[in-house]
Amino acid sequence: MSKIRFYKYYFTGNDKPVIMEAEDRLTADKMMQQLKQNTTAKLSAKDLIDIRVETPIIGISKRKRHNQDFVWVGKEFTSDGWLLQSEYDEIQKLKKQQNGN
């Protein structure tokens, strides 16, 4: 089973990286090419200053999407690996109750 990685592309003039979730660098690069074609943002290869690769950590890695907070739970548990933070917190609460904590 392939593992998802976060490919973070850093561009001159952008405060935050552009993050691609992919199983390999080639796929991430293809996703970046698609994004460059569909946006007016400055994502030129000549402005690329760094690429970093991160592995998501279950229960630790987080993101905000459509004004909602998500936590990484892995693709074994959800179709895209992300779960609403509130749902994750509720599951953790139930686990603690079952363990008598």
Side-chain angles (χ1 to χ4, degrees):
M1 179 174 128
S2 296
K3 292 209 174 234
I4 292 293
R5 303 275 190 262
F6 300 150
Y7 292 84
K8 295 185 174 188
Y9 296 79
Y10 291 83
F11 292 91
T12 302
N14 291 343
D15 294 335
K16 295 183 178 183
V18 176
I19 304 170
M20 297 294 163
E21 292 179 29
E23 293 181 355
D24 57 60
R25 170 78 187 272
L26 181 61
T27 302
D29 287 346
K30 287 179 182 177
M31 292 168 65
M32 179 59 70
Q33 289 296 328
Q34 283 290 130
L35 180 63
K36 287 194 313 193
Q37 291 175 359
N38 296 328
T39 186
T40 58
K42 293 183 180 182
L43 303 175
S44 171
K46 67 181 174 69
D47 294 324
L48 182 64
I49 54 175
D50 195 10
I51 300 174
R52 298 179 189 173
V53 182
E54 294 181 4
T55 301
I57 300 171
I58 292 174
I60 302 295
S61 299
K62 299 178 188 228
R63 77 173 186 189
K64 187 174 266 264
R65 187 170 189 193
H66 302 295
N67 229 16
Q68 292 185 307
D69 295 321
F70 290 84
V71 64
W72 181 258
V73 295
K75 289 190 122 186
E76 301 83 30
F77 301 106
T78 66
S79 61
D80 67 354
W82 295 100
L83 186 66
L84 277 170
Q85 180 74 54
S86 57
E87 292 178 20
Y88 179 80
D89 292 343
E90 189 61 32
I91 291 169
Q92 296 307 308
K93 182 179 169 183
L94 290 172
K95 282 184 178 180
K96 284 183 180 181
Q97 288 174 352
Q98 287 177 347
N99 293 331
N101 293 332

